[in-house]
Amino acid sequence: MDETKIKTRVVGVDISGERTTYAIVDIRGNIIAEGFFDTTDYENVNAFVVALTDKIVELVEANGGYESIRSIGISAPSASSVAGGIVNAANLPWKGVIPLAALVRDRLGLAVAISNDAHVSALGEKAYGSAHGMKDFIIVNIGMGLGSCFFTNGSEHRGHLGFGGEFGHTCVVPENGRQCGCGQTGCLETYVAGKGVVITAKEVMAENPDKTTLMSSLEKLSARTIAECCNKGDELAIEVYRRTGKMLGIGLANYASIVDPEAIILTGGISHAGHWLIDPMRESFEAHVFHNIRGKVKILPSILDDRIRDVLGASALAWNVPEYSLFK
Ligand SMILES: [Zn+2]
């Protein structure tokens, strides 16, 4: 066999509500070259696809050429591997059903695999991160949204339509709940993901008009800046994360009682709030989880950098898809 024809690289693409990252990754998981741009610059999905594919071609041509690339893996919120695209994303500028895998494949002539960000994170965690060697685990990603994926007996649970693990859209407040981007109200995501933490901060401040808080003088109220106030000992900011952790702990307890995982791995921006979130979450988790697994489920932070994990996970996805050919 002619060894020059063996393709040893793939391209991993991670699309989030804020930023799109793309990288050439080799068969051992080394990132050869990467680039990124703002997802929000493209309100029209066709313009986004043109920009993404042009940037991939540019990166590939400058780093080893087209012949070395086997396939493409894409991670995106609300993506379904069964549908081959993004379906009614709550946190992206493009609405409706977007056949992203086919759009990218048609422009590049390479096989494209797509899956949602939580599933791809789990693939990255299993291949290179905290879940390495585990067979039963849950990954929860808390950033702008709340995603999750679980593996049972070594296999990813995808579900009938490819949407298994939509933990963020489980209902936790059935009456007068917060409005969610998915169209429902009272979803867990609206209480524990980025915007939810900010809403909770506003509620806590409104309930305590007589108390001073560093949060009131912040230029931008965000999950990260509120966590910084906690580090400075701000009582109301600590209360924000106490409520967030309590709500998340209940959600995770319900989840773990169904799945019985060895570990729950936390990824994403909000998990960086550290013990301000983890301590109340753990307490509420143990109070509500099924008694026979109480005290036995590990709750671990991811050891991988968020950005790298998703690109590596997308590359792992790319290796799973058959190579594209016009002649097969
Ligand atoms: Zn929802």
Side-chain angles (χ1 to χ4, degrees), residues 10-13 56 69-74 104 108 110-113 314 318 321:
V10 294
V11 173
V13 179
I56 289 174
I69 304 297
R70 182 188 175 279
S71 46
I72 313 255
I74 301 177
V104 172
L108 294 178
L110 292 168
V112 179
V321 67

Side-chain angles (χ1 to χ4, degrees), residues 10-14 21 23-32 34 73 75 120-125 127-129 304-319:
V10 294
V11 173
V13 179
D14 173 41
T21 306
I24 301 168
V25 184
D26 76 9
I27 202 161
R28 294 191 177 85
N30 299 308
I31 293 177
I32 308 295
E34 63 180 322
S75 160
V120 171
S121 278
L123 284 177
E125 251 352 294
Y128 307 105
L304 294 174
D305 177 85
D306 289 338
R307 190 177 54 85
I308 288 177
R309 178 192 45 253
D310 290 350
V311 164
L312 289 180
S315 76
L317 187 67
W319 288 110

Side-chain angles (χ1 to χ4, degrees), residues 34-206:
E34 63 180 322
F36 58 84
F37 57 94
D38 288 340
T39 310
T40 48
D41 285 351
Y42 301 92
E43 278 180 29
N44 177 297
V45 73
N46 292 313
F48 172 81
V49 170
V50 169
L52 172 65
T53 50
D54 284 354
K55 286 169 196 289
I56 289 174
V57 169
E58 199 179 309
L59 190 74
V60 165
E61 283 179 348
N63 294 277
Y66 222 70
E67 313 73 51
S68 63
I69 304 297
R70 182 188 175 279
S71 46
I72 313 255
I74 301 177
S75 160
S78 301
S80 161
S81 52
V82 177
I86 298 171
V87 184
N88 304 322
N91 298 310
L92 286 176
W94 325 301
K95 301 304 169 199
V97 181
I98 298 154
L100 193 65
L103 292 173
V104 172
R105 186 196 62 211
D106 289 350
R107 280 188 64 87
L108 294 178
L110 292 168
V112 179
I114 188 166
S115 198
N116 82 52
D117 45 2
H119 291 225
V120 171
S121 278
L123 284 177
E125 251 352 294
K126 186 160 168 57
Y128 307 105
S130 299
H132 192 71
M134 288 186 192
K135 291 170 87 176
D136 297 274
F137 63 93
I138 296 172
I139 300 273
V140 174
N141 183 285
I142 321 170
M144 270 177 79
L146 176 65
S148 97
C149 176
F150 62 99
F151 271 64
T152 55
N153 200 24
S155 297
E156 171 196 21
H157 177 91
R158 297 201 310 179
H160 175 54
L161 297 174
F163 298 112
E166 280 294 351
F167 179 46
H169 303 287
T170 52
C171 183
V172 286
V173 179
E175 281 177 36
N176 302 315
R178 293 177 185 172
Q179 181 64 48
C180 183
C182 76
Q184 302 278 15
T185 56
C187 293
L188 182 60
E189 175 171 302
T190 66
Y191 293 88
V192 305
K195 285 181 205 156
V197 177
V198 171
I199 294 170
T200 304
K202 287 177 180 164
E203 282 177 3
V204 169
M205 285 192 277

